[in-house]
Amino acid sequence: MFFYLQRLCIIILTTWLVACSSSMPPRQTAPTAPPATRPATSTAPSPSMNNPAVNGSVIGGPKVINIDPKPETTGNPTDGIDPNTPLETTVTPKLEPIVKGTTKPYIVNGETMTPMSEVSTPFTQTGHASWYGKKFHGRKTASGEPYDMFKLTAAHRTLPIPSYVRITNLSNGKTLMARVNDRGPFGRDRIIDLSYAAAKQLDIIRHGSAQVQISLIDPSQPTPLPATAAQPANSNAPSLPAPPVTTATTSPVTTLETSGIYLQVGAFGQEENADRLQQRIFSALPETQSLLNKVYNGKTFQIVLGPYPDHALAAQAASQMRDKLQLPALIFSR
């Protein structure tokens, strides 16, 4: 009997617990906090790293220049230029410190340019030259100087700034020296941009461009001309026949005076070639005999005229060499 009563109590207790459990409201748990969110990270490249702005710079990278390659076709480039304005006719190469900021690489229309950080010769280049005038007159050049169209200056993509170059118009043999103080030309197939004064002296103004040869000059050396520079390429002027070398009009190797103004008209690896040029000059201009010098600098034999008492007389002699003998002439001082 006791056993049945005990079992009945267990059944009643179990039934009561089940009923209580079903009647209690469900347990409320604290809502789960949403996970902390990070700002969305864009996978697009940073403009400052991969998309340089037009004519801007990439941070830590080279300057970028984008130029419309189409040439300007409106107006006459010589309009407004006073033809009576005096032009610089000669420059004398001299040692100058290179502008540090002009030695950094830069990009033009996707092409990387690496400028020279020092004057390193020999350097020659052949291609087309153009010129720029009044539109840029007075504007700041890469050297920091204002552009003066009436001086013998030039723009080059990679040559040191400043530096000096000899430029020869291969269509007529005319030649001159100019000071490189700007960067360019850009957008067209040109190797050098000349000032108005330089283009006029080389007779490029009328055509706008010409095939030229440029040679970098080392101001510390009196030998900026290549061995073949004594006879301009493609010259229309008839060349004088090379007369036989005679001791009466050729001189032994001499040493220039320590100071003075001189005119170099040729440099050769072979002494007999220098003798021929010396004879040619004497035959055409016998009055120059007392001024003719044959100098050896350890590498080449140079034909040098001088000394002249002043720069004006040297410039006059240089014009005479160009006009009568089609010889490039370099004025230098010692």
Side-chain angles (χ1 to χ4, degrees):
M1 186 68 172
F2 174 78
F3 173 77
Y4 289 107
L5 290 176
Q6 185 182 26
R7 187 173 180 182
L8 179 62
C9 289
I10 292 174
I11 293 171
I12 293 171
L13 180 62
T14 301
T15 304
W16 179 80
L17 288 176
V18 171
C20 289
S21 175
S22 62
S23 63
M24 290 178 64
R27 181 180 177 185
Q28 299 294 319
T29 57
T32 304
T37 59
R38 292 182 301 172
T41 303
S42 172
T43 58
S46 169
S48 63
M49 295 298 293
N50 297 311
N51 297 321
V54 174
N55 296 338
S57 299
V58 175
I59 296 176
K63 182 176 182 180
V64 177
I65 303 174
N66 292 300
I67 296 178
D68 187 350
K70 294 183 294 184
E72 297 179 14
T73 57
T74 58
N76 189 328
T78 59
D79 287 346
I81 299 178
D82 185 356
N84 299 316
T85 302
L87 307 178
E88 187 175 41
T89 57
T90 58
V91 294
T92 301
K94 59 182 179 180
L95 290 172
E96 298 183 64
I98 295 174
V99 180
K100 187 176 181 180
T102 63
T103 62
K104 298 178 180 179
Y106 62 99
I107 299 173
V108 179
N109 293 346
E111 182 180 0
T112 300
M113 305 292 170
T114 304
M116 298 167 61
S117 58
E118 62 182 7
V119 174
S120 178
T121 57
F123 175 93
T124 60
Q125 192 177 17
T126 301
H128 268 81
S130 50
W131 68 278
Y132 57 132
K134 65 182 186 299
K135 178 179 178 180
F136 300 94
H137 186 64
R139 293 190 185 182
K140 191 176 181 179
T141 63
S143 66
E145 307 161 342
Y147 169 59
D148 188 340
M149 59 187 285
F150 303 116
K151 289 188 176 181
L152 295 177
T153 60
H156 193 275
R157 296 186 180 190
T158 58
L159 287 178
I161 291 180
S163 59
Y164 294 84
V165 291
R166 171 167 294 283
I167 309 161
T168 301
N169 186 341
L170 298 179
S171 65
N172 58 22
K174 292 185 177 182
T175 185
L176 56 75
M177 286 186 299
R179 182 172 178 265
V180 177
N181 68 346
D182 203 2
R183 286 285 174 239
F186 302 128
R188 285 180 288 173
D189 186 18
R190 304 285 188 266
I191 64 170
I192 195 167
D193 252 349
L194 306 176
S195 66
Y196 169 76
K200 189 172 180 64
Q201 188 166 320
L202 291 174
D203 196 19
I204 294 177
I205 297 293
R206 183 162 55 96
H207 297 287
S209 66
Q211 187 81 355
V212 300
Q213 182 182 69
I214 63 175
S215 300
L216 180 62
I217 295 172
D218 184 351
S220 65
Q221 301 291 331
T223 315
L225 302 178
T228 58
Q231 180 63 41
N234 300 332
S235 173
N236 295 325
S239 59
L240 298 177
V245 176
T246 62
T247 56
T249 54
T250 58
S251 60
V253 174
T254 59
T255 302
L256 300 181
E257 298 179 13
T258 55
S259 62
I261 301 175
Y262 293 89
L263 190 70
Q264 179 180 299
V265 292
F268 303 90
Q270 301 295 323
E271 185 175 7
E272 56 266 27
N273 293 332
D275 289 337
R276 289 191 181 94
L277 177 60
Q278 191 174 9
Q279 174 68 38
R280 178 185 172 196
I281 295 172
F282 172 78
S283 300
L285 303 167
E287 66 274 14
T288 62
Q289 183 176 17
S290 62
L291 299 172
L292 279 170
N293 301 277
K294 181 173 63 177
V295 182
Y296 183 64
N297 69 351
K299 295 181 179 179
T300 58
F301 293 89
Q302 308 159 354
I303 298 300
V304 178
L305 285 84
Y308 294 95
D310 55 53
H311 194 277
L313 288 176
Q316 183 178 350
S319 297
Q320 189 180 42
M321 292 294 113
R322 288 192 295 264
D323 296 342
K324 291 192 175 182
L325 297 176
Q326 291 77 50
L327 292 175
L330 166 67
I331 299 174
F332 66 95
S333 301
R334 288 178 61 89

